[in-house]
Amino acid sequence: MDVDKSQYIDQCIIKYESIINNAKEGTAQDNEVLTAITKSMSFGLLKTNYDIWLDECFLHQDWQKWNNLIFQQMRYQLLPGCSGGYDHCQNSLHILEAFACGDNKIMERILPSELGLTKNGYPFYVVMSNLLRAIWYRDEILLLKALYAAEKFVGTKKPQWERSVVAFLLSLHKENVEAMGNHLQNLCSGYMRADFSKAMKQLCVPAHGLYCLAQNLLPAEIFQQIKMPEHKNFSQGFAKWRNENPHPVLNLYFEYPAPLEILNQIYVAPVAKSIISQPYLHSDNPYHSLQLKKKWFLDEEAMLIAFVENV
């Protein structure tokens, strides 16, 4: 493990120095250098060592370290700069990762109440984010639309794990504990058949996130009746630890040594708040349809600028 860690650090330093040198070829200011580093991380040029770190967690049942790893990986996934072509539904799945590790404040950063309905994105993200937002903010007006779309979605032939997430949220709204347990079990099973890496399939973090979300929203006597999944990609030990630690300390799993200390600051900085815009609204390109012009997209550049200013 020490050899792997040393090699990982060496690789990070090489990439980091290359990014710094390229950024400073002109007359770059400190914030421009920080922007270049953050954007490179967002594009995966400087990334976590999640696969190996997760293997370490499975070897050592230290639940705080499990929490640290989920926290760090989630924060890495939420770094701004790499556009995905969707509106504010784009990062909705990472909210479940945030719930899994107790970083609940991220909900207000990723799906702030003022942005309203999500419409432009992968169907699962749109349906799930609108229902989650309606339940979290207790938005009765939005809830009617979100419930209708969610019930329609679970009746489709979309991937099982996606339907299970939405079905769980519907059951959470109805406080149906038996259904919630079944949907968590189906989520874990369906997750194994999804197009994810082998490492991601080892731990179904979204299932843990939904379980923790239920603990946040339900009375204790109801939440305690939800049956935990019995599946190899769900850790009942970690889930029990989170039940006993609803507000865990949020630490990094891996702290970077010199000269990479800035990466630690980037990971723990406030998550970039979602900003949306209509970049094609005033376009005179004849190939841009009226539908495209009206679409809202996550404004990654504006989010990146705001994020760097905070750091």
Side-chain angles (χ1 to χ4, degrees):
M1 290 296 180
D2 289 339
V3 174
D4 289 334
K5 188 176 294 184
S6 178
Q7 290 177 343
Y8 172 68
I9 293 172
D10 289 343
Q11 292 170 359
C12 286
I13 291 175
I14 292 171
K15 293 175 182 177
Y16 174 81
E17 290 178 344
S18 176
I19 294 166
I20 294 295
N21 292 334
N22 289 335
K24 290 186 175 179
E25 282 182 356
T27 55
Q29 302 296 316
D30 286 346
N31 65 331
E32 292 173 330
V33 173
L34 186 54
T35 297
I37 296 170
T38 305
K39 197 165 188 177
S40 295
M41 294 171 72
S42 176
F43 275 87
L45 299 180
L46 271 173
K47 58 185 179 180
T48 62
N49 207 13
Y50 182 73
D51 294 18
I52 291 177
W53 295 346
L54 185 61
D55 287 342
E56 292 175 359
C57 282
F58 275 105
L59 284 173
H60 308 286
Q61 305 288 293
D62 184 326
W63 306 128
Q64 179 64 60
K65 288 187 177 180
W66 280 53
N67 209 72
N68 297 346
L69 178 58
I70 294 172
F71 171 72
Q72 186 161 0
Q73 183 67 9
M74 174 269 298
R75 286 299 187 94
Y76 164 70
Q77 297 286 356
L78 287 174
L79 289 173
C82 182
S83 178
Y86 297 158
D87 62 13
H88 47 304
C89 73
Q90 179 172 310
N91 292 316
S92 53
L93 190 59
H94 299 309
I95 297 174
L96 300 185
E97 298 165 1
F99 285 134
C101 67
D103 196 4
N104 299 351
K105 292 181 179 179
I106 279 183
M107 181 67 187
E108 284 77 17
R109 307 291 294 178
I110 303 303
L111 291 176
S113 59
E114 64 268 19
L115 289 189
L117 281 167
T118 68
K119 299 177 181 179
N120 173 31
Y122 182 58
F124 166 57
Y125 292 163
V126 172
V127 173
M128 188 266 282
S129 61
N130 284 333
L131 182 54
L132 177 59
R133 182 181 174 278
I135 293 173
W136 184 262
Y137 294 116
R138 295 179 172 82
D139 188 328
E140 295 298 329
I141 296 176
L142 172 59
L143 185 62
L144 293 175
K145 297 179 181 178
L147 287 173
Y148 174 78
E151 288 168 354
K152 186 177 179 180
F153 182 85
V154 297
T156 66
K157 294 184 179 180
K158 296 294 184 182
Q160 181 186 16
W161 79 273
E162 295 180 3
R163 288 183 283 116
S164 297
V165 169
V166 176
F168 178 91
L169 291 173
L170 284 170
S171 300
L172 174 61
H173 170 64
K174 299 172 184 177
E175 297 189 355
N176 186 334
V177 292
E178 183 178 357
M180 280 186 272
N182 291 336
H183 296 317
L184 284 179
Q185 184 69 36
N186 292 335
L187 166 56
C188 291
S189 298
Y191 205 70
M192 297 298 290
R193 297 191 293 273
D195 187 22
F196 296 130
S197 68
K198 182 179 178 181
M200 284 187 66
K201 291 180 180 180
Q202 286 187 79
L203 182 64
C204 187
V205 180
H208 281 279
L210 289 173
Y211 188 68
C212 291
L213 172 65
Q215 185 182 23
N216 273 279
L217 298 180
L218 295 174
E221 62 273 14
I222 295 178
F223 168 73
Q224 290 166 2
Q225 297 176 48
I226 301 174
K227 185 179 180 181
M228 290 187 193
E230 295 180 359
H231 200 284
K232 62 182 180 181
N233 64 10
F234 187 90
S235 171
Q236 293 195 2
F238 176 66
K240 290 175 183 176
W241 180 84
R242 281 287 286 112
N243 291 350
E244 297 165 0
N245 295 271
H247 305 289
V249 177
L250 299 175
N251 291 329
L252 295 180
Y253 180 83
F254 182 85
E255 290 198 5
Y256 293 85
L260 304 169
E261 304 100 317
I262 187 62
L263 304 188
N264 301 326
Q265 296 179 45
I266 290 172
Y267 279 125
V268 301
V271 169
K273 190 171 184 178
S274 293
I275 300 173
I276 55 176
S277 63
Q278 294 174 295
Y280 304 107
L281 184 60
H282 302 294
S283 171
D284 56 4
N285 188 323
Y287 296 103
H288 289 168
S289 66
L290 183 60
Q291 183 181 17
L292 178 63
K293 291 180 180 181
K294 290 182 177 180
K295 278 187 176 181
W296 291 86
F297 294 84
L298 205 60
D299 193 334
E300 292 278 351
E301 286 301 315
M303 291 168 60
L304 180 61
I305 292 170
F307 176 80
V308 168
E309 288 177 352
N310 275 338
V311 175

